[in-house]
Amino acid sequence: MDPTQAGISIVVRVTASEVVGVEVLPPVVAALQAHHPDLVIELDLSNALEDLLRRDADIAVRMVVPTQDALVVRRLGVIALGLHAHRHYLDRHGMPTRTEDLAGHRVIGFDRETLAIRRMRMGAGSAAGALDRSRFAVRSDSDLAQLAAIRAGCGIGICQVPLAARDPRLVRVLDDAVDLPLETFLAMHENLRDNRRCRVVFDALAQGLMRHIAGRAPVEEGPAA
């Protein structure tokens, strides 16, 4: 057996948001398992905060500062959120140049307002009025459903800037008016600090997420076969 594959043969449970778990983590997991084929990764995708102290998960990707004690926490950086639309939608309906223009557009957003969403709206400045539930043409509490609606040309919605930048069909709109920071952290229980399997996964996730935040692919692509 390749020495890089030795000693990693057990399950690691990772919790992350829907978008991060579907759009960012899979290539990181694939690269990990290429080196450690016996490594099993469980992805628990939810915007709820799992309790690492109760060991609901081994490692958590979080978009809020972890407040629990007895955690190993690494701040990875800030993911910018902005308004985006499909090129085809903008071809049909025009590019908004002022936040007031959003009143004439179909906007994609949440169904039930949470504390995190209220805080986001508070940071949206003059665009906050357009991010009201009553104004949305498509409503969903699933970030993945909102992203799919943006990609399908349903309207204008909030998307991670580095994620949209990888898709030439998506265009950022009103970037001067709407630029919402999403701080990103990686955390695990301090008892797992010296656990080799968790450390390998923790370090790989940190590297992949920092590459994503910097606007690069989560893992380096190897040479073409």
Side-chain angles (χ1 to χ4, degrees), residues 30-70:
L32 262 172
Q33 292 179 325
H35 288 286
H36 308 292
D38 294 328
L39 178 64
V40 176
I41 301 292
E42 294 180 346
L43 289 178
D44 180 12
L45 304 187
S46 169
N47 290 335
L49 297 180
E50 299 293 342
D51 192 337
L52 295 179
L53 296 186
R54 295 188 316 184
R55 306 294 282 273
D56 294 336
D58 296 312
I59 300 172
V61 182
R62 289 185 171 170
M63 273 56 186
V64 296
V65 181
T67 57
Q68 296 172 308
D69 293 330

PDB file of all heavy atoms in Angstrom, residues 30-70:
ATOM      1  N   ALA A  30     -13.067  14.225  -2.791  1.00  0.00           N
ATOM      2  CA  ALA A  30     -12.504  13.336  -3.816  1.00  0.00           C
ATOM      3  C   ALA A  30     -10.984  13.298  -3.736  1.00  0.00           C
ATOM      4  O   ALA A  30     -10.365  12.223  -3.834  1.00  0.00           O
ATOM      5  CB  ALA A  30     -12.951  13.786  -5.205  1.00  0.00           C
ATOM      6  N   ALA A  31     -10.353  14.456  -3.555  1.00  0.00           N
ATOM      7  CA  ALA A  31      -8.896  14.504  -3.445  1.00  0.00           C
ATOM      8  C   ALA A  31      -8.415  13.785  -2.184  1.00  0.00           C
ATOM      9  O   ALA A  31      -7.402  13.077  -2.204  1.00  0.00           O
ATOM     10  CB  ALA A  31      -8.428  15.963  -3.444  1.00  0.00           C
ATOM     11  N   LEU A  32      -9.142  13.954  -1.087  1.00  0.00           N
ATOM     12  CA  LEU A  32      -8.793  13.260   0.156  1.00  0.00           C
ATOM     13  C   LEU A  32      -8.826  11.749  -0.037  1.00  0.00           C
ATOM     14  O   LEU A  32      -7.902  11.027   0.355  1.00  0.00           O
ATOM     15  CB  LEU A  32      -9.785  13.649   1.252  1.00  0.00           C
ATOM     16  CG  LEU A  32      -9.393  14.739   2.242  1.00  0.00           C
ATOM     17  CD1 LEU A  32     -10.594  15.099   3.109  1.00  0.00           C
ATOM     18  CD2 LEU A  32      -8.227  14.295   3.107  1.00  0.00           C
ATOM     19  N   GLN A  33      -9.906  11.268  -0.643  1.00  0.00           N
ATOM     20  CA  GLN A  33     -10.071   9.828  -0.778  1.00  0.00           C
ATOM     21  C   GLN A  33      -9.143   9.240  -1.841  1.00  0.00           C
ATOM     22  O   GLN A  33      -8.892   8.037  -1.830  1.00  0.00           O
ATOM     23  CB  GLN A  33     -11.534   9.503  -1.068  1.00  0.00           C
ATOM     24  CG  GLN A  33     -12.425   9.808   0.133  1.00  0.00           C
ATOM     25  CD  GLN A  33     -13.886   9.534  -0.122  1.00  0.00           C
ATOM     26  OE1 GLN A  33     -14.374   9.724  -1.229  1.00  0.00           O
ATOM     27  NE2 GLN A  33     -14.603   9.097   0.905  1.00  0.00           N
ATOM     28  N   ALA A  34      -8.629  10.074  -2.727  1.00  0.00           N
ATOM     29  CA  ALA A  34      -7.625   9.590  -3.668  1.00  0.00           C
ATOM     30  C   ALA A  34      -6.349   9.208  -2.922  1.00  0.00           C
ATOM     31  O   ALA A  34      -5.652   8.262  -3.304  1.00  0.00           O
ATOM     32  CB  ALA A  34      -7.323  10.658  -4.714  1.00  0.00           C
ATOM     33  N   HIS A  35      -6.039   9.927  -1.843  1.00  0.00           N
ATOM     34  CA  HIS A  35      -4.850   9.621  -1.036  1.00  0.00           C
ATOM     35  C   HIS A  35      -5.166   8.633   0.083  1.00  0.00           C
ATOM     36  O   HIS A  35      -4.286   7.891   0.526  1.00  0.00           O
ATOM     37  CB  HIS A  35      -4.293  10.906  -0.418  1.00  0.00           C
ATOM     38  CG  HIS A  35      -3.626  11.818  -1.410  1.00  0.00           C
ATOM     39  ND1 HIS A  35      -2.396  11.551  -1.954  1.00  0.00           N
ATOM     40  CD2 HIS A  35      -4.042  12.984  -1.959  1.00  0.00           C
ATOM     41  CE1 HIS A  35      -2.061  12.516  -2.802  1.00  0.00           C
ATOM     42  NE2 HIS A  35      -3.053  13.391  -2.824  1.00  0.00           N
ATOM     43  N   HIS A  36      -6.409   8.641   0.551  1.00  0.00           N
ATOM     44  CA  HIS A  36      -6.804   7.803   1.682  1.00  0.00           C
ATOM     45  C   HIS A  36      -8.086   7.059   1.300  1.00  0.00           C
ATOM     46  O   HIS A  36      -9.184   7.423   1.719  1.00  0.00           O
ATOM     47  CB  HIS A  36      -7.044   8.661   2.932  1.00  0.00           C
ATOM     48  CG  HIS A  36      -5.899   9.572   3.262  1.00  0.00           C
ATOM     49  ND1 HIS A  36      -4.677   9.096   3.701  1.00  0.00           N
ATOM     50  CD2 HIS A  36      -5.778  10.924   3.204  1.00  0.00           C
ATOM     51  CE1 HIS A  36      -3.857  10.124   3.920  1.00  0.00           C
ATOM     52  NE2 HIS A  36      -4.504  11.238   3.618  1.00  0.00           N
ATOM     53  N   PRO A  37      -7.987   6.012   0.493  1.00  0.00           N
ATOM     54  CA  PRO A  37      -9.182   5.352  -0.048  1.00  0.00           C
ATOM     55  C   PRO A  37     -10.052   4.687   1.001  1.00  0.00           C
ATOM     56  O   PRO A  37     -11.218   4.384   0.732  1.00  0.00           O
ATOM     57  CB  PRO A  37      -8.598   4.328  -1.028  1.00  0.00           C
ATOM     58  CG  PRO A  37      -7.184   4.128  -0.591  1.00  0.00           C
ATOM     59  CD  PRO A  37      -6.738   5.434  -0.044  1.00  0.00           C
ATOM     60  N   ASP A  38      -9.548   4.438   2.203  1.00  0.00           N
ATOM     61  CA  ASP A  38     -10.361   3.839   3.253  1.00  0.00           C
ATOM     62  C   ASP A  38     -11.082   4.878   4.106  1.00  0.00           C
ATOM     63  O   ASP A  38     -11.844   4.524   5.011  1.00  0.00           O
ATOM     64  CB  ASP A  38      -9.502   2.961   4.168  1.00  0.00           C
ATOM     65  CG  ASP A  38      -8.954   1.753   3.436  1.00  0.00           C
ATOM     66  OD1 ASP A  38      -9.657   1.259   2.529  1.00  0.00           O
ATOM     67  OD2 ASP A  38      -7.845   1.322   3.750  1.00  0.00           O
ATOM     68  N   LEU A  39     -10.856   6.146   3.821  1.00  0.00           N
ATOM     69  CA  LEU A  39     -11.487   7.217   4.578  1.00  0.00           C
ATOM     70  C   LEU A  39     -12.946   7.361   4.152  1.00  0.00           C
ATOM     71  O   LEU A  39     -13.255   7.471   2.968  1.00  0.00           O
ATOM     72  CB  LEU A  39     -10.741   8.529   4.345  1.00  0.00           C
ATOM     73  CG  LEU A  39     -11.297   9.769   5.037  1.00  0.00           C
ATOM     74  CD1 LEU A  39     -11.225   9.619   6.547  1.00  0.00           C
ATOM     75  CD2 LEU A  39     -10.512  11.007   4.603  1.00  0.00           C
ATOM     76  N   VAL A  40     -13.840   7.341   5.121  1.00  0.00           N
ATOM     77  CA  VAL A  40     -15.272   7.533   4.877  1.00  0.00           C
ATOM     78  C   VAL A  40     -15.676   8.904   5.406  1.00  0.00           C
ATOM     79  O   VAL A  40     -15.422   9.225   6.570  1.00  0.00           O
ATOM     80  CB  VAL A  40     -16.114   6.435   5.573  1.00  0.00           C
ATOM     81  CG1 VAL A  40     -17.607   6.702   5.390  1.00  0.00           C
ATOM     82  CG2 VAL A  40     -15.745   5.058   5.034  1.00  0.00           C
ATOM     83  N   ILE A  41     -16.287   9.718   4.538  1.00  0.00           N
ATOM     84  CA  ILE A  41     -16.739  11.055   4.916  1.00  0.00           C
ATOM     85  C   ILE A  41     -18.261  11.069   4.944  1.00  0.00           C
ATOM     86  O   ILE A  41     -18.921  10.701   3.964  1.00  0.00           O
ATOM     87  CB  ILE A  41     -16.242  12.123   3.925  1.00  0.00           C
ATOM     88  CG1 ILE A  41     -14.711  12.133   3.866  1.00  0.00           C
ATOM     89  CG2 ILE A  41     -16.770  13.509   4.320  1.00  0.00           C
ATOM     90  CD1 ILE A  41     -14.034  12.602   5.123  1.00  0.00           C
ATOM     91  N   GLU A  42     -18.818  11.473   6.057  1.00  0.00           N
ATOM     92  CA  GLU A  42     -20.259  11.697   6.162  1.00  0.00           C
ATOM     93  C   GLU A  42     -20.511  13.196   6.092  1.00  0.00           C
ATOM     94  O   GLU A  42     -19.980  13.956   6.911  1.00  0.00           O
ATOM     95  CB  GLU A  42     -20.804  11.140   7.474  1.00  0.00           C
ATOM     96  CG  GLU A  42     -20.724   9.621   7.588  1.00  0.00           C
ATOM     97  CD  GLU A  42     -21.278   9.091   8.898  1.00  0.00           C
ATOM     98  OE1 GLU A  42     -21.482   9.908   9.828  1.00  0.00           O
ATOM     99  OE2 GLU A  42     -21.497   7.878   8.982  1.00  0.00           O
ATOM    100  N   LEU A  43     -21.299  13.622   5.116  1.00  0.00           N
ATOM    101  CA  LEU A  43     -21.625  15.036   4.954  1.00  0.00           C
ATOM    102  C   LEU A  43     -23.032  15.291   5.486  1.00  0.00           C
ATOM    103  O   LEU A  43     -24.013  14.764   4.950  1.00  0.00           O
ATOM    104  CB  LEU A  43     -21.533  15.452   3.486  1.00  0.00           C
ATOM    105  CG  LEU A  43     -20.127  15.518   2.881  1.00  0.00           C
ATOM    106  CD1 LEU A  43     -20.216  15.893   1.410  1.00  0.00           C
ATOM    107  CD2 LEU A  43     -19.247  16.512   3.632  1.00  0.00           C
ATOM    108  N   ASP A  44     -23.125  16.073   6.527  1.00  0.00           N
ATOM    109  CA  ASP A  44     -24.413  16.471   7.105  1.00  0.00           C
ATOM    110  C   ASP A  44     -24.659  17.912   6.686  1.00  0.00           C
ATOM    111  O   ASP A  44     -24.031  18.831   7.205  1.00  0.00           O
ATOM    112  CB  ASP A  44     -24.359  16.340   8.627  1.00  0.00           C
ATOM    113  CG  ASP A  44     -25.660  16.731   9.298  1.00  0.00           C
ATOM    114  OD1 ASP A  44     -26.674  16.893   8.586  1.00  0.00           O
ATOM    115  OD2 ASP A  44     -25.670  16.879  10.535  1.00  0.00           O
ATOM    116  N   LEU A  45     -25.555  18.110   5.713  1.00  0.00           N
ATOM    117  CA  LEU A  45     -25.752  19.425   5.125  1.00  0.00           C
ATOM    118  C   LEU A  45     -26.990  20.096   5.699  1.00  0.00           C
ATOM    119  O   LEU A  45     -28.116  19.623   5.530  1.00  0.00           O
ATOM    120  CB  LEU A  45     -25.878  19.315   3.598  1.00  0.00           C
ATOM    121  CG  LEU A  45     -24.703  18.619   2.906  1.00  0.00           C
ATOM    122  CD1 LEU A  45     -24.850  18.719   1.396  1.00  0.00           C
ATOM    123  CD2 LEU A  45     -23.369  19.174   3.373  1.00  0.00           C
ATOM    124  N   SER A  46     -26.748  21.197   6.380  1.00  0.00           N
ATOM    125  CA  SER A  46     -27.837  21.934   7.005  1.00  0.00           C
ATOM    126  C   SER A  46     -27.314  23.310   7.385  1.00  0.00           C
ATOM    127  O   SER A  46     -26.118  23.481   7.656  1.00  0.00           O
ATOM    128  CB  SER A  46     -28.334  21.202   8.257  1.00  0.00           C
ATOM    129  OG  SER A  46     -29.211  22.008   9.003  1.00  0.00           O
ATOM    130  N   ASN A  47     -28.213  24.288   7.410  1.00  0.00           N
ATOM    131  CA  ASN A  47     -27.826  25.609   7.886  1.00  0.00           C
ATOM    132  C   ASN A  47     -27.959  25.711   9.403  1.00  0.00           C
ATOM    133  O   ASN A  47     -27.623  26.740   9.987  1.00  0.00           O
ATOM    134  CB  ASN A  47     -28.674  26.688   7.213  1.00  0.00           C
ATOM    135  CG  ASN A  47     -28.333  26.826   5.740  1.00  0.00           C
ATOM    136  OD1 ASN A  47     -27.227  26.505   5.318  1.00  0.00           O
ATOM    137  ND2 ASN A  47     -29.282  27.277   4.955  1.00  0.00           N
ATOM    138  N   ALA A  48     -28.459  24.653  10.047  1.00  0.00           N
ATOM    139  CA  ALA A  48     -28.520  24.617  11.511  1.00  0.00           C
ATOM    140  C   ALA A  48     -27.124  24.367  12.067  1.00  0.00           C
ATOM    141  O   ALA A  48     -26.258  23.798  11.400  1.00  0.00           O
ATOM    142  CB  ALA A  48     -29.474  23.517  11.977  1.00  0.00           C
ATOM    143  N   LEU A  49     -26.899  24.813  13.288  1.00  0.00           N
ATOM    144  CA  LEU A  49     -25.591  24.654  13.924  1.00  0.00           C
ATOM    145  C   LEU A  49     -25.580  23.364  14.736  1.00  0.00           C
ATOM    146  O   LEU A  49     -26.260  23.251  15.753  1.00  0.00           O
ATOM    147  CB  LEU A  49     -25.288  25.854  14.836  1.00  0.00           C
ATOM    148  CG  LEU A  49     -25.181  27.210  14.146  1.00  0.00           C
ATOM    149  CD1 LEU A  49     -24.869  28.286  15.176  1.00  0.00           C
ATOM    150  CD2 LEU A  49     -24.125  27.183  13.057  1.00  0.00           C
ATOM    151  N   GLU A  50     -24.807  22.393  14.275  1.00  0.00           N
ATOM    152  CA  GLU A  50     -24.669  21.150  15.024  1.00  0.00           C
ATOM    153  C   GLU A  50     -23.791  21.385  16.256  1.00  0.00           C
ATOM    154  O   GLU A  50     -22.884  22.217  16.248  1.00  0.00           O
ATOM    155  CB  GLU A  50     -24.043  20.065  14.142  1.00  0.00           C
ATOM    156  CG  GLU A  50     -24.860  19.724  12.901  1.00  0.00           C
ATOM    157  CD  GLU A  50     -26.178  19.054  13.231  1.00  0.00           C
ATOM    158  OE1 GLU A  50     -26.311  18.552  14.362  1.00  0.00           O
ATOM    159  OE2 GLU A  50     -27.066  19.057  12.372  1.00  0.00           O
ATOM    160  N   ASP A  51     -24.065  20.663  17.311  1.00  0.00           N
ATOM    161  CA  ASP A  51     -23.336  20.809  18.565  1.00  0.00           C
ATOM    162  C   ASP A  51     -22.115  19.895  18.557  1.00  0.00           C
ATOM    163  O   ASP A  51     -22.236  18.681  18.700  1.00  0.00           O
ATOM    164  CB  ASP A  51     -24.250  20.462  19.742  1.00  0.00           C
ATOM    165  CG  ASP A  51     -23.641  20.866  21.075  1.00  0.00           C
ATOM    166  OD1 ASP A  51     -22.402  21.000  21.135  1.00  0.00           O
ATOM    167  OD2 ASP A  51     -24.387  21.047  22.036  1.00  0.00           O
ATOM    168  N   LEU A  52     -20.948  20.492  18.386  1.00  0.00           N
ATOM    169  CA  LEU A  52     -19.727  19.699  18.346  1.00  0.00           C
ATOM    170  C   LEU A  52     -19.372  19.124  19.720  1.00  0.00           C
ATOM    171  O   LEU A  52     -18.705  18.097  19.806  1.00  0.00           O
ATOM    172  CB  LEU A  52     -18.570  20.548  17.814  1.00  0.00           C
ATOM    173  CG  LEU A  52     -18.684  21.012  16.358  1.00  0.00           C
ATOM    174  CD1 LEU A  52     -17.485  21.865  15.987  1.00  0.00           C
ATOM    175  CD2 LEU A  52     -18.795  19.836  15.417  1.00  0.00           C
ATOM    176  N   LEU A  53     -19.796  19.797  20.768  1.00  0.00           N
ATOM    177  CA  LEU A  53     -19.485  19.281  22.100  1.00  0.00           C
ATOM    178  C   LEU A  53     -20.252  17.995  22.378  1.00  0.00           C
ATOM    179  O   LEU A  53     -19.773  17.121  23.096  1.00  0.00           O
ATOM    180  CB  LEU A  53     -19.813  20.339  23.167  1.00  0.00           C
ATOM    181  CG  LEU A  53     -18.984  21.633  23.097  1.00  0.00           C
ATOM    182  CD1 LEU A  53     -19.308  22.524  24.281  1.00  0.00           C
ATOM    183  CD2 LEU A  53     -17.493  21.330  23.060  1.00  0.00           C
ATOM    184  N   ARG A  54     -21.445  17.869  21.798  1.00  0.00           N
ATOM    185  CA  ARG A  54     -22.199  16.615  21.940  1.00  0.00           C
ATOM    186  C   ARG A  54     -21.774  15.593  20.890  1.00  0.00           C
ATOM    187  O   ARG A  54     -22.316  14.498  20.823  1.00  0.00           O
ATOM    188  CB  ARG A  54     -23.695  16.887  21.788  1.00  0.00           C
ATOM    189  CG  ARG A  54     -24.282  17.759  22.882  1.00  0.00           C
ATOM    190  CD  ARG A  54     -25.785  17.809  22.774  1.00  0.00           C
ATOM    191  NE  ARG A  54     -26.218  18.001  21.373  1.00  0.00           N
ATOM    192  CZ  ARG A  54     -27.481  18.163  21.011  1.00  0.00           C
ATOM    193  NH1 ARG A  54     -28.424  18.116  21.924  1.00  0.00           N
ATOM    194  NH2 ARG A  54     -27.796  18.353  19.742  1.00  0.00           N
ATOM    195  N   ARG A  55     -20.831  16.003  20.032  1.00  0.00           N
ATOM    196  CA  ARG A  55     -20.287  15.153  18.973  1.00  0.00           C
ATOM    197  C   ARG A  55     -21.354  14.796  17.941  1.00  0.00           C
ATOM    198  O   ARG A  55     -21.379  13.687  17.408  1.00  0.00           O
ATOM    199  CB  ARG A  55     -19.626  13.899  19.554  1.00  0.00           C
ATOM    200  CG  ARG A  55     -18.578  14.198  20.593  1.00  0.00           C
ATOM    201  CD  ARG A  55     -17.367  14.914  20.016  1.00  0.00           C
ATOM    202  NE  ARG A  55     -16.500  13.987  19.330  1.00  0.00           N
ATOM    203  CZ  ARG A  55     -15.537  13.296  19.950  1.00  0.00           C
ATOM    204  NH1 ARG A  55     -15.336  13.442  21.246  1.00  0.00           N
ATOM    205  NH2 ARG A  55     -14.771  12.473  19.269  1.00  0.00           N
ATOM    206  N   ASP A  56     -22.269  15.779  17.649  1.00  0.00           N
ATOM    207  CA  ASP A  56     -23.203  15.600  16.543  1.00  0.00           C
ATOM    208  C   ASP A  56     -22.440  15.511  15.224  1.00  0.00           C
ATOM    209  O   ASP A  56     -22.935  14.948  14.253  1.00  0.00           O
ATOM    210  CB  ASP A  56     -24.202  16.762  16.477  1.00  0.00           C
ATOM    211  CG  ASP A  56     -25.130  16.787  17.678  1.00  0.00           C
ATOM    212  OD1 ASP A  56     -25.321  15.721  18.298  1.00  0.00           O
ATOM    213  OD2 ASP A  56     -25.667  17.858  18.001  1.00  0.00           O
ATOM    214  N   ALA A  57     -21.263  16.098  15.199  1.00  0.00           N
ATOM    215  CA  ALA A  57     -20.362  16.005  14.045  1.00  0.00           C
ATOM    216  C   ALA A  57     -18.940  16.110  14.561  1.00  0.00           C
ATOM    217  O   ALA A  57     -18.696  16.581  15.679  1.00  0.00           O
ATOM    218  CB  ALA A  57     -20.657  17.113  13.036  1.00  0.00           C
ATOM    219  N   ASP A  58     -17.988  15.656  13.759  1.00  0.00           N
ATOM    220  CA  ASP A  58     -16.580  15.771  14.148  1.00  0.00           C
ATOM    221  C   ASP A  58     -16.019  17.144  13.788  1.00  0.00           C
ATOM    222  O   ASP A  58     -15.258  17.735  14.555  1.00  0.00           O
ATOM    223  CB  ASP A  58     -15.756  14.683  13.448  1.00  0.00           C
ATOM    224  CG  ASP A  58     -16.169  13.287  13.873  1.00  0.00           C
ATOM    225  OD1 ASP A  58     -16.300  13.048  15.091  1.00  0.00           O
ATOM    226  OD2 ASP A  58     -16.375  12.430  12.994  1.00  0.00           O
ATOM    227  N   ILE A  59     -16.392  17.623  12.594  1.00  0.00           N
ATOM    228  CA  ILE A  59     -15.863  18.876  12.068  1.00  0.00           C
ATOM    229  C   ILE A  59     -17.033  19.688  11.518  1.00  0.00           C
ATOM    230  O   ILE A  59     -17.943  19.130  10.890  1.00  0.00           O
ATOM    231  CB  ILE A  59     -14.821  18.638  10.961  1.00  0.00           C
ATOM    232  CG1 ILE A  59     -13.640  17.829  11.501  1.00  0.00           C
ATOM    233  CG2 ILE A  59     -14.336  19.951  10.360  1.00  0.00           C
ATOM    234  CD1 ILE A  59     -12.650  17.388  10.437  1.00  0.00           C
ATOM    235  N   ALA A  60     -17.010  20.998  11.738  1.00  0.00           N
ATOM    236  CA  ALA A  60     -18.092  21.855  11.263  1.00  0.00           C
ATOM    237  C   ALA A  60     -17.537  23.032  10.480  1.00  0.00           C
ATOM    238  O   ALA A  60     -16.567  23.670  10.908  1.00  0.00           O
ATOM    239  CB  ALA A  60     -18.930  22.366  12.434  1.00  0.00           C
ATOM    240  N   VAL A  61     -18.144  23.290   9.330  1.00  0.00           N
ATOM    241  CA  VAL A  61     -17.902  24.532   8.591  1.00  0.00           C
ATOM    242  C   VAL A  61     -19.008  25.485   9.019  1.00  0.00           C
ATOM    243  O   VAL A  61     -20.190  25.186   8.840  1.00  0.00           O
ATOM    244  CB  VAL A  61     -17.964  24.310   7.072  1.00  0.00           C
ATOM    245  CG1 VAL A  61     -17.645  25.614   6.338  1.00  0.00           C
ATOM    246  CG2 VAL A  61     -17.013  23.204   6.648  1.00  0.00           C
ATOM    247  N   ARG A  62     -18.621  26.607   9.587  1.00  0.00           N
ATOM    248  CA  ARG A  62     -19.617  27.533  10.134  1.00  0.00           C
ATOM    249  C   ARG A  62     -19.451  28.928   9.561  1.00  0.00           C
ATOM    250  O   ARG A  62     -18.342  29.370   9.301  1.00  0.00           O
ATOM    251  CB  ARG A  62     -19.528  27.573  11.658  1.00  0.00           C
ATOM    252  CG  ARG A  62     -20.035  26.288  12.307  1.00  0.00           C
ATOM    253  CD  ARG A  62     -20.054  26.391  13.800  1.00  0.00           C
ATOM    254  NE  ARG A  62     -20.747  25.245  14.404  1.00  0.00           N
ATOM    255  CZ  ARG A  62     -20.762  24.979  15.688  1.00  0.00           C
ATOM    256  NH1 ARG A  62     -20.107  25.759  16.530  1.00  0.00           N
ATOM    257  NH2 ARG A  62     -21.415  23.931  16.159  1.00  0.00           N
ATOM    258  N   MET A  63     -20.594  29.610   9.402  1.00  0.00           N
ATOM    259  CA  MET A  63     -20.618  30.969   8.892  1.00  0.00           C
ATOM    260  C   MET A  63     -20.918  31.976   9.997  1.00  0.00           C
ATOM    261  O   MET A  63     -21.260  33.123   9.731  1.00  0.00           O
ATOM    262  CB  MET A  63     -21.656  31.093   7.768  1.00  0.00           C
ATOM    263  CG  MET A  63     -21.110  30.738   6.399  1.00  0.00           C
ATOM    264  SD  MET A  63     -20.385  29.082   6.305  1.00  0.00           S
ATOM    265  CE  MET A  63     -19.697  29.120   4.645  1.00  0.00           C
ATOM    266  N   VAL A  64     -20.787  31.551  11.244  1.00  0.00           N
ATOM    267  CA  VAL A  64     -20.871  32.426  12.410  1.00  0.00           C
ATOM    268  C   VAL A  64     -19.724  32.056  13.336  1.00  0.00           C
ATOM    269  O   VAL A  64     -19.217  30.931  13.291  1.00  0.00           O
ATOM    270  CB  VAL A  64     -22.216  32.296  13.157  1.00  0.00           C
ATOM    271  CG1 VAL A  64     -23.373  32.757  12.285  1.00  0.00           C
ATOM    272  CG2 VAL A  64     -22.447  30.865  13.610  1.00  0.00           C
ATOM    273  N   VAL A  65     -19.338  32.976  14.196  1.00  0.00           N
ATOM    274  CA  VAL A  65     -18.232  32.706  15.118  1.00  0.00           C
ATOM    275  C   VAL A  65     -18.663  31.625  16.105  1.00  0.00           C
ATOM    276  O   VAL A  65     -19.665  31.779  16.801  1.00  0.00           O
ATOM    277  CB  VAL A  65     -17.835  33.974  15.886  1.00  0.00           C
ATOM    278  CG1 VAL A  65     -16.672  33.687  16.832  1.00  0.00           C
ATOM    279  CG2 VAL A  65     -17.477  35.093  14.934  1.00  0.00           C
ATOM    280  N   PRO A  66     -17.942  30.498  16.193  1.00  0.00           N
ATOM    281  CA  PRO A  66     -18.283  29.479  17.197  1.00  0.00           C
ATOM    282  C   PRO A  66     -18.089  30.044  18.590  1.00  0.00           C
ATOM    283  O   PRO A  66     -17.049  30.633  18.902  1.00  0.00           O
ATOM    284  CB  PRO A  66     -17.298  28.347  16.906  1.00  0.00           C
ATOM    285  CG  PRO A  66     -16.849  28.572  15.489  1.00  0.00           C
ATOM    286  CD  PRO A  66     -16.846  30.058  15.310  1.00  0.00           C
ATOM    287  N   THR A  67     -19.101  29.884  19.435  1.00  0.00           N
ATOM    288  CA  THR A  67     -19.038  30.457  20.782  1.00  0.00           C
ATOM    289  C   THR A  67     -18.819  29.416  21.860  1.00  0.00           C
ATOM    290  O   THR A  67     -18.597  29.764  23.018  1.00  0.00           O
ATOM    291  CB  THR A  67     -20.347  31.209  21.087  1.00  0.00           C
ATOM    292  OG1 THR A  67     -21.460  30.313  20.944  1.00  0.00           O
ATOM    293  CG2 THR A  67     -20.528  32.396  20.140  1.00  0.00           C
ATOM    294  N   GLN A  68     -18.882  28.143  21.510  1.00  0.00           N
ATOM    295  CA  GLN A  68     -18.685  27.098  22.515  1.00  0.00           C
ATOM    296  C   GLN A  68     -17.215  26.997  22.907  1.00  0.00           C
ATOM    297  O   GLN A  68     -16.326  27.167  22.076  1.00  0.00           O
ATOM    298  CB  GLN A  68     -19.164  25.744  21.983  1.00  0.00           C
ATOM    299  CG  GLN A  68     -20.662  25.683  21.698  1.00  0.00           C
ATOM    300  CD  GLN A  68     -21.031  24.395  21.004  1.00  0.00           C
ATOM    301  OE1 GLN A  68     -20.436  24.041  19.994  1.00  0.00           O
ATOM    302  NE2 GLN A  68     -22.009  23.687  21.542  1.00  0.00           N
ATOM    303  N   ASP A  69     -16.986  26.725  24.179  1.00  0.00           N
ATOM    304  CA  ASP A  69     -15.626  26.442  24.635  1.00  0.00           C
ATOM    305  C   ASP A  69     -15.249  25.027  24.198  1.00  0.00           C
ATOM    306  O   ASP A  69     -16.066  24.275  23.685  1.00  0.00           O
ATOM    307  CB  ASP A  69     -15.540  26.562  26.154  1.00  0.00           C
ATOM    308  CG  ASP A  69     -15.753  27.994  26.621  1.00  0.00           C
ATOM    309  OD1 ASP A  69     -15.408  28.921  25.859  1.00  0.00           O
ATOM    310  OD2 ASP A  69     -16.297  28.176  27.730  1.00  0.00           O
ATOM    311  N   ALA A  70     -14.010  24.677  24.404  1.00  0.00           N
ATOM    312  CA  ALA A  70     -13.498  23.331  24.121  1.00  0.00           C
ATOM    313  C   ALA A  70     -13.562  22.983  22.646  1.00  0.00           C
ATOM    314  O   ALA A  70     -13.740  21.833  22.271  1.00  0.00           O
ATOM    315  CB  ALA A  70     -14.244  22.279  24.941  1.00  0.00           C
TER     316      ALA A  70
END
